[in-house]
Amino acid sequence: MARAGRKRKVGERYPAGQIRPQDDGPSPAIVKRLRSAAILGMADPHWGSVAGLWYLQKVIDDSEYEAAKRFGDLHAQYIGVIGGPRPPKTSTGERMSKSQNVDVDTHQGDLEAQRHIAVMTKYNDVHTSLLMLNPLTEAELIRFCAMPGETPTGHEGIIRIRAGLRALADLWKISK
């Protein structure tokens, strides 16, 4: 004969019989505190980005978050490289400065050129792998991973972000 009453909820239980709560990630208060601290400069700035928020809310996993951080840093380096050499400090109003442009014929200039070539090579590898997915994926990832980032629009944008981050994690061999 069947037992009368409510059905018993399924789930892992404590020895006393109460159901154990499932781990749904950090509480919203912790997420808000960490994000505010990042925006104020008291914590890692990546936590203040959209990718950091998605990671804290468990929308993306560890490897996708690491790929987002690396892509954001690589894109910032790429922008710095294509922007050309830095202007001397004297041109920005800082008088009595000993700053000078890097001379390309010196060892320091050669190192700077090698750094530029390395950044361009890495970025071109990323560009070709993202282009194979979808032409819009790279633009979505730039908006998503650049600090502070923008939330993608629509369901297709979210799918492109996740696919792009998975492709970058595979390219850079980032494991979970």
Side-chain angles (χ1 to χ4, degrees), residues 69 75 129:
K69 287 195 314 186
H75 182 70
S129 66

Side-chain angles (χ1 to χ4, degrees), residues 74-86 112 115-116 119:
L74 179 64
H75 182 70
Q77 290 175 358
Y78 173 74
I79 293 299
V81 165
I82 64 172
R86 295 180 204 97
E112 186 74 10
R115 187 184 69 80
H116 284 207
V119 168

